[in-house]
Amino acid sequence: MTAIFVINLASSTERLNRVSHELNAQNLAFERLDAIDGRELSDTEIAKHYSADLNIKKYHKPLSKGEIGCYLSHRKAWQTIVDRQLDYAIILEDDFVLDRSIHSAIENISTLKQPWQLIKLAAYKDRNREIAFTKPLADEQHLVIHKKLMSGCCATAVSFEGAKALLKATAIFGRPVDCDLQHVWETGVYGYSLLPYPVSQPDNSQSDIRDRSVKVKKSFWRRKKQQLQSALLNAKYTKQFVKTQQVPNKKKGAAAPLLPIKNH
């Protein structure tokens, strides 16, 4: 049985009730993971993983305590995958809507022949992006590589190897979790999306744990410089990722196994 984790703050009972209804309607068992409330963390607790110096170097504004708590909550989910030695788990934030195709998605993920580390099952505000590679799956679903990994962490499937690599790469962080996941040349974790997405977010959705309501000063030129550098590196490493899908295995005629690309 596929493990499904729902990240949820203890105080967010209404959200838990709503998403419980979504999962129960699809006859899917799940486990609630107690989200880490960044507002309750001490400066010492925050400094264990969040680096203000790294933030200045790699992001254009300081993270809010909510964003830090969100990141730590996802790390908690990855650690659970590793501790329990799960093949993979689906990690959900508590603001989603399920499509009936979630069953096909779970079956397709569970029967994938190729190694994988991370698969997006939803995109932030259902945004679209150009696709660099696509592989047809059962029930008219596709495993795709976007030219840039989609933002948002509403719904992701993470494998055991993916969780291990992410924990190692993000022991110290300075960006939001979904932004770090896009920096595949740093994490070594390469992500797919499963289309059409079986999970979506309500139009008025706003994360409890990722509270971005606190206004902070943004550095315009630092952001532009970072975006340019990231765009160049993303194009390079996405191209290499796509190549791993297209090299035939001479013995079996199948796609060559994915090999992690060394961090930049």
Side-chain angles (χ1 to χ4, degrees):
M1 181 180 293
T2 298
I4 300 176
F5 299 136
V6 175
I7 297 173
N8 169 256
L9 284 171
S11 59
S12 298
T13 54
E14 287 188 15
R15 282 174 173 259
L16 182 60
N17 289 338
R18 192 187 67 75
V19 297
S20 295
H21 177 76
E22 286 283 329
L23 288 157
N24 292 337
Q26 298 299 330
N27 294 314
L28 291 173
F30 73 95
E31 178 179 343
R32 176 185 171 273
L33 283 187
D34 194 19
I36 295 173
D37 191 339
R39 295 166 297 185
E40 296 181 357
L41 295 175
S42 67
D43 291 344
T44 301
E45 289 171 324
I46 287 174
K48 287 180 181 178
H49 292 286
Y50 175 66
S51 167
D53 290 339
L54 193 63
N55 171 264
I56 291 172
K57 181 180 177 182
K58 296 194 171 185
Y59 202 54
H60 56 275
K61 67 180 182 68
L63 297 196
S64 69
K65 286 191 172 183
E67 288 173 309
I68 294 169
C70 178
Y71 205 131
L72 294 175
S73 298
H74 280 277
R75 293 192 86 255
K76 182 177 182 178
W78 303 336
Q79 188 66 60
T80 303
I81 292 171
V82 172
D83 290 346
R84 298 184 187 177
Q85 297 187 332
L86 302 174
D87 288 339
Y88 81 94
I90 292 174
I91 302 168
L92 303 170
E93 294 181 351
D94 62 357
D95 52 349
F96 61 83
V97 176
L98 290 181
D99 185 83
R100 291 174 60 186
S101 62
I102 186 64
H103 296 285
S104 295
I106 291 172
E107 179 65 20
N108 277 323
I109 292 170
S110 298
T111 56
L112 277 177
K113 304 290 186 194
Q114 67 203 68
W116 62 272
Q117 297 169 304
L118 182 145
I119 301 173
K120 292 270 186 172
L121 303 178
Y124 179 63
K125 293 187 177 180
D126 295 326
R127 289 175 178 169
N128 295 314
R129 184 167 284 151
E130 286 188 69
I131 292 172
F133 173 85
T134 183
K135 175 183 179 179
L137 303 175
D139 297 329
E140 299 183 344
Q141 292 184 333
H142 290 79
L143 192 68
V144 311
I145 298 172
H146 285 104
K147 289 191 173 180
K148 181 180 180 182
L149 188 67
M150 301 303 292
S151 57
C153 282
C154 170
T156 55
V158 180
S159 72
F160 176 79
E161 292 299 331
K164 277 204 309 183
L166 285 171
L167 286 169
K168 182 179 179 180
T170 67
I172 303 296
F173 61 82
R175 290 181 291 234
V177 59
D178 57 337
C179 185
D180 262 355
L181 291 180
Q182 292 177 314
H183 288 69
V184 299
W185 55 92
E186 294 179 3
T187 65
V189 175
Y190 290 77
Y192 298 91
S193 285
L194 192 146
L195 299 180
Y197 290 119
V199 185
S200 60
Q201 289 179 294
D203 291 338
N204 60 348
S205 175
Q206 187 170 351
S207 175
D208 275 8
I209 58 175
R210 193 193 296 263
D211 178 24
R212 288 173 172 163
S213 60
V214 179
K215 299 298 181 181
V216 295
K217 186 176 180 180
K218 300 178 182 180
S219 176
F220 177 83
W221 291 113
R222 187 164 82 228
R223 182 180 188 181
K224 291 300 178 184
K225 180 181 178 182
Q226 290 166 349
Q227 287 176 332
L228 177 59
Q229 291 173 336
S230 294
L232 294 172
L233 287 167
N234 178 77
K236 174 184 176 181
Y237 284 91
T238 298
K239 185 176 180 180
Q240 292 186 39
F241 184 31
V242 170
K243 279 178 109 174
T244 67
Q245 316 297 301
Q246 299 171 332
V247 178
N249 184 311
K250 293 181 180 179
K251 292 183 178 180
K252 298 183 179 180
L258 293 178
L259 298 175
I261 299 169
K262 291 182 180 180
N263 291 353
H264 183 269

